[in-house]
Amino acid sequence: MMKKVDRMNRRASARQMKQEERGGIGVFLLSQLNRVVFVLLMAMILHMLPIHNHSLPSSASVTTSTEDQITNPTPQTTSIQNRSILPNSDQVAGSLQPSATSAQTEAPATKDSGTVNWVRMKGTTEIRTEPDPSKPDLLIVTANEALPVLQQTGDWIEVGLNTDQRGWIRKSEATTISVPAADTQLLKVNKNTSVYLGPDESFDQAYRLKATASFIPKMVSGKWIEVAEQKDGKPLWVPTSQAIWTYGEQPAIEAWSQDVQALSSAAKLKQKLPLEGKTIVVDPGHGGSDPGAIASGKPVYERDINLAAAQVLANKLKSAGANVIMTRTSNDQTVSLAQRVQISNDNKADVFVSIHQNMYQQDPSVSGTITYYESPNSKQLAEKIETATTGQLSSKQGQQNEQIEKEQLYVLKHNTRPAVLIEGCFLSNPSELNASLLPSYHEKLAAGIYQGIFSYLHA
């Protein structure tokens, strides 16, 4: 009897569970049906209502404080729009813009606004090769000069100097301005300025400007700027001290050619360049994993100064027609001493010059240049370079005596070509350390080396 009762109870429980399951399914289906009906009703109601298009204002009507753009950046790094701020920017835009990263966003200015961001200097401003106060200057500009913004990183703004060169300024040294996107970067060159055929006063003068003229900048090198305009296929250079960085409509050739006094005849321009056919190896000492001497107090790396001066020298030599080979072209490159020597020997260099800076912590008052040689056929080259370099730097650094020493340094001892190594200044000397970061020092050191090489090859 108990077993029968148990079986009946279990059957009743089973029937009850099935009924509950059927009831639960019914409730679920009913709830889903109600949702569908609700969605359909809402769709019908929305369809019947009048819809107004509340579109966002165009970028041209959005006003953003230019001061906020420069002083209160939202991300850490702000990548500035790819716009026609430089001549031929459509072809070179990729080279001007940094790679996109998660820390970069587009600038407030857009294509619809018709403007791009530039900065106007508040006063004399140093434009450095990297966003670091211990890095060399590429250029020094003055109040109210303007440059296009490429990006902002922390307290630094990257600016464009032409289609290939860029530099960095402190955010606090400039004010952001909006410039018409159609405008071109320009140099306003002062009246009576001499325009040269190379980046050195030893080159011939092509013109003298009879009125202020506008040019398109092509390259900065020491105290010189190469412009895009040419004379009979020859590059033209103007002193940085006579040029103002600005923007405006791209000038026609006639706009400046009518305001010049020609100083070089067509026949003279066709003459052979003075260093044509000569191969010169320029070796910026150290580099990459080898920073060279490091100044105490201010972490200035010797390798940075060496490369800055070497690049200025290379531009002078190229303008004179020389075949210039650089052993390194960036501060990231590590080149062994053996590789440097091999480059010189394999290319049968007419001159090999290695550029360095010195260090003597025991006595910070020690200053001046020293030029080293090893073989007898290099002694005259060392004398020419030391004499010319001392002449260039003496008025600035108080040098009086030329210093030439015979030394068995690796790049000299194993070099079969005429070779010298020059120590431009002492990074342990506070005065020379500060000067070593300036374009004027790079210019004078390079000019002295250039004049010494020129004199040696034409002796």
Side-chain angles (χ1 to χ4, degrees):
M1 184 67 179
M2 290 297 295
K3 293 182 179 179
K4 185 176 180 180
V5 173
D6 290 339
R7 284 197 298 269
M8 292 175 64
N9 289 336
R10 284 198 295 271
R11 288 175 182 173
S13 298
R15 285 195 299 270
Q16 184 178 359
M17 290 175 64
K18 288 181 180 179
Q19 290 174 356
E20 289 174 355
E21 287 177 0
R22 285 195 294 268
I25 293 171
V27 172
F28 172 78
L29 292 174
L30 181 60
S31 65
Q32 293 300 312
L33 179 61
N34 288 336
R35 287 186 182 182
V36 172
V37 172
F38 177 78
V39 170
L40 291 174
L41 288 174
M42 290 301 298
M44 292 174 63
I45 294 171
L46 291 173
H47 181 71
M48 295 172 64
L49 291 174
I51 304 297
H52 297 283
N53 183 19
H54 297 285
S55 59
L56 291 174
S58 67
S59 57
S61 63
V62 177
T63 302
T64 303
S65 169
T66 55
E67 281 293 329
D68 288 343
Q69 293 171 16
I70 188 169
T71 59
N72 299 306
T74 300
Q76 182 180 0
T77 301
T78 304
S79 176
I80 301 306
Q81 67 284 356
N82 183 6
R83 301 304 309 278
S84 178
I85 56 176
L86 301 176
N88 302 320
S89 62
D90 290 341
Q91 289 80 13
V92 300
S95 64
L96 286 174
Q97 304 304 320
S99 301
T101 67
S102 59
Q104 296 173 344
T105 60
E106 289 190 8
T110 67
K111 193 169 185 178
D112 294 335
S113 70
T115 63
V116 289
N117 286 339
W118 283 51
V119 283
R120 176 171 286 130
M121 308 305 153
K122 297 177 180 178
T124 300
T125 304
E126 299 176 14
I127 300 177
R128 300 191 182 275
T129 54
E130 297 179 44
D132 185 332
S134 66
K135 298 302 180 182
D137 291 346
L138 185 60
L139 177 70
I140 296 178
V141 293
T142 56
N144 296 319
E145 294 190 73
L147 294 167
V149 175
L150 300 183
Q151 66 167 319
Q152 181 173 309
T153 300
D155 293 332
W156 294 85
I157 297 174
E158 186 178 34
V159 294
L161 298 175
N162 46 64
T163 56
D164 297 318
Q165 286 178 305
R166 57 186 68 191
W168 295 85
I169 64 170
R170 288 185 180 277
K171 182 176 63 177
S172 59
E173 296 178 320
T175 301
T176 302
I177 60 175
S178 294
V179 171
D183 281 2
T184 299
Q185 186 172 33
L186 296 177
L187 289 176
K188 294 285 187 182
V189 183
N190 298 330
K191 176 182 178 181
N192 296 324
T193 297
S194 293
V195 181
Y196 289 78
L197 293 172
D200 195 90
E201 291 176 355
S202 63
F203 285 89
D204 290 332
Q205 298 179 28
Y207 302 111
R208 181 174 291 109
L209 299 179
K210 296 187 292 184
T212 299
S214 295
F215 296 89
I216 296 175
K218 186 176 180 181
M219 178 171 57
V220 177
S221 179
K223 73 170 189 177
W224 298 90
I225 306 170
E226 182 184 2
V227 296
E229 294 76 6
Q230 297 184 339
K231 178 176 174 61
D232 296 334
K234 299 292 179 67
L236 298 176
W237 296 77
V238 297
T240 57
S241 60
Q242 299 300 315
I244 297 172
W245 293 81
T246 184
Y247 53 88
E249 295 183 5
Q250 182 168 335
I253 293 178
E254 294 78 9
W256 62 270
S257 61
Q258 295 177 354
D259 294 323
V260 300
Q261 175 187 353
L263 299 177
S264 294
S265 65
K268 194 169 186 179
L269 288 170
K270 294 179 181 178
Q271 292 178 356
K272 183 178 178 180
L273 294 171
L275 296 182
E276 193 171 331
K278 302 296 184 182
T279 296
I280 300 171
V281 174
V282 178
D283 175 39
H286 307 285
S289 59
D290 174 17
I294 303 176
S296 60
K298 186 184 241 182
V300 175
Y301 288 1
E302 180 193 349
R303 71 180 181 200
D304 299 341
I305 310 301
N306 298 342
L307 181 60
Q311 289 171 329
V312 177
L313 172 61
N315 290 328
K316 293 179 185 293
L317 294 168
K318 289 176 184 177
S319 296
N323 171 35
V324 179
I325 301 173
M326 299 271 288
T327 59
R328 67 178 179 93
T329 56
S330 80
N331 286 317
D332 297 328
Q333 289 177 271
T334 300
V335 184
S336 69
L337 298 178
Q339 288 174 315
R340 297 168 197 258
V341 171
Q342 185 177 356
I343 291 171
S344 177
N345 292 336
D346 289 354
N347 288 280
K348 296 180 172 55
D350 294 285
V351 168
F352 171 93
V353 57
S354 188
I355 299 176
H356 289 252
Q357 314 305 314
N358 223 328
M359 176 75 75
Y360 188 62
Q361 297 283 20
Q362 292 86 337
D363 186 355
S365 67
V366 175
S367 64
T369 65
I370 304 175
T371 304
Y372 297 99
Y373 71 96
E374 198 277 330
S375 63
N377 69 332
S378 300
K379 183 177 181 181
Q380 185 183 20
L381 174 62
E383 291 172 344
K384 298 284 188 183
I385 288 178
E386 178 69 14
T387 299
T389 304
T390 300
Q392 285 286 334
L393 294 172
S394 60
S395 60
K396 177 71 178 177
Q397 298 179 213
Q399 289 181 222
Q400 299 295 329
N401 300 319
E402 299 171 14
Q403 299 183 70
I404 302 169
E405 296 184 14
K406 184 174 181 179
E407 190 71 46
Q408 291 193 347
L409 303 172
Y410 188 97
V411 293
L412 305 182
K413 180 180 179 180
H414 298 276
N415 210 318
T416 62
R417 314 303 300 172
V420 298
L421 184 152
I422 183 168
E423 303 272 9
C425 73
F426 280 80
L427 299 182
S428 49
N429 181 295
S431 177
E432 291 194 350
L433 172 62
N434 292 331
S436 71
L437 294 173
L438 302 177
S440 56
Y441 171 75
H442 311 146
E443 172 67 31
K444 290 182 178 182
L445 177 58
I449 298 172
Y450 169 76
Q451 291 167 12
I453 292 173
F454 188 95
S455 178
Y456 169 77
L457 292 175
H458 288 82

